[in-house]
Amino acid sequence: SGVHGIGVNYGLVGDNLPQPSAVVDLYKSNNINSMRIFNPNHDVLEALRGSNIPLIVGVEHKDLQSLASDLSAANNWVQTNIAAYSPSVSFSYIAVGNEIIPGELAQYVLPAIQNIQTALAASGLNIYVSTSIALSVLGSSYPPSAGAFTPEAQNYMEPILKFLATSGSPLLVNVYPYFSYKDNPDQIALSYALFTSPDVVVIDGPYSYKNLFDAMLDATYAAMEKVGEAGVAVVVSESGWPSDGGFAANISNAQTYNQNLINHVGEGTPRRPAPIEAYIFAMFNENQKEEGTERNFGLFYPDKNPVYPITFSASQRLVDPMTSNGFHFRKMEHMKFISYLLFPFLVCFSLL
């Protein structure tokens, strides 16, 4: 079946957030198609029963080692957090780790994915299992066709992508033009980062780019192609723009970016012009996160008032990109990223 185009990440790192049942109502009243949570919070899962909101649920990093080494631990995790709520909760993906490749936990990602997939199958549950990466996995990203994994990341990404190709699961990717722009404002035009450039900014062989989001995503596709896994779909598990707390972080830019992202995802990228499933980060401003921009990515304040007006109607359609453009796409989504390695080699082009 098809999947919706735009969802929102629901983080819980705050002490003044609404009750989960009120949050589910807020998703519905704003026509937000789908949700991602970062751990299997049972209060949230209870609130989602019968809501028909497709859900990405994360595996907590503290559980990765046991899930990777012990199939019985994976069975227990699936029974407690998935089977107990299915089918009244519509699970779309399980994200095994968020932005931990490369790193000390990266070794556990693939075996944990495999054990959870095995446990799901034993319970008769058909749910995709993947991991969510930051674009710091790329050692080269400019031009997009030069996209390639760092050697360290490739050690993990190549076997993970091979598994995803077999299972039909997408790779979850966090894509943040904001951080690339913030770190390279002399090289990157704000309009290129906000989807507002009237003209092509980067020409890369047959592909022309008017926005940074497409260039970043296509660099990821190029890296996947270089390890022989062009057929794996990508879901953007996080993307967003902060409304306060740092450079270029204001309500105008945040509203422009997120609304344009919503309006854009149906088109896909130059390299893969098929609809993208994407998740905006985040639902709320979370007051227990690190000070600065991290607290200010929310679409809503904790009192449920919008930080700025935004409409999800542009993507109120099902996308089913399974056979688009010759790729066996299953699903596609949205994400967040560590900026210091991404787009370090951007060509200098004049600010628009």
Side-chain angles (χ1 to χ4, degrees), residues 21-228:
S21 58
V23 176
V24 170
D25 289 343
L26 196 60
Y27 271 70
K28 289 180 174 178
S29 63
N30 285 278
N31 296 311
I32 300 171
N33 291 327
S34 43
M35 179 187 290
R36 178 188 178 205
I37 57 177
F38 294 90
N39 61 71
N41 181 290
H42 287 189
D43 293 333
V44 175
L45 293 173
E46 283 294 341
L48 283 165
R49 285 189 190 272
S51 67
N52 294 317
I53 295 174
L55 180 70
I56 304 177
V57 60
V59 173
E60 290 189 273
H61 294 170
K62 66 179 176 60
D63 296 331
L64 286 175
Q65 187 171 356
S66 66
L67 292 170
S69 60
D70 184 359
L71 183 57
S72 67
N75 279 316
N76 289 339
W77 190 93
V78 165
Q79 289 304 313
T80 303
N81 300 306
I82 307 296
Y85 298 94
S86 183
S88 60
V89 174
S90 303
F91 295 99
S92 51
Y93 316 110
I94 295 169
V96 179
N98 185 49
E99 300 189 347
I100 58 173
I101 298 170
E104 60 184 31
L105 294 175
Q107 62 184 308
Y108 304 123
V109 173
L110 181 56
I113 288 175
Q114 292 169 321
N115 280 345
I116 289 172
Q117 195 87 69
T118 300
L120 289 167
S123 294
L125 296 167
N126 183 24
I127 299 164
Y128 293 119
V129 186
S130 186
T131 189
S132 183
I133 60 166
L135 291 190
S136 52
V137 297
L138 300 182
S140 171
S141 55
Y142 185 85
S145 61
F149 296 119
T150 65
E152 188 185 0
Q154 186 167 325
N155 288 336
Y156 302 106
M157 292 305 303
E158 200 163 350
I160 287 169
L161 286 165
K162 214 175 261 0
F163 179 85
L164 298 180
T166 302
S167 69
S169 298
L171 177 66
L172 310 181
V173 186
N174 296 344
V175 182
Y176 282 95
Y178 169 73
F179 291 111
S180 286
Y181 171 68
K182 179 177 77 75
D183 289 349
N184 301 277
D186 295 335
Q187 285 78 43
I188 300 175
L190 180 61
S191 59
Y192 187 55
L194 291 177
F195 299 95
T196 56
S197 173
D199 303 311
V200 170
V201 175
V202 172
I203 296 175
D204 181 18
Y207 306 117
S208 298
Y209 294 88
K210 295 173 74 171
N211 70 80
L212 183 52
F213 175 88
D214 283 355
M216 293 168 77
L217 203 45
D218 275 0
T220 310
Y221 293 140
M224 293 164 65
E225 290 165 17
K226 286 182 177 68
V227 296

Side-chain angles (χ1 to χ4, degrees), residues 242-296:
S243 62
D244 200 2
F247 178 77
N250 56 61
I251 282 176
S252 175
N253 286 347
Q255 179 183 30
T256 299
Y257 179 83
N258 283 326
Q259 189 64 66
N260 286 340
L261 176 69
I262 291 167
N263 297 345
H264 175 71
V265 290
E267 301 169 24
T269 70
R271 203 174 193 90
R272 289 195 184 179
I276 299 161
E277 187 180 351
Y279 289 71
I280 291 173
F281 187 87
M283 193 64 174
F284 297 105
N285 286 345
E286 297 168 63
N287 68 352
Q288 292 178 314
K289 299 199 85 166
E290 186 181 335
E291 281 193 43
T293 56
E294 285 297 309
R295 293 187 182 183
N296 293 285

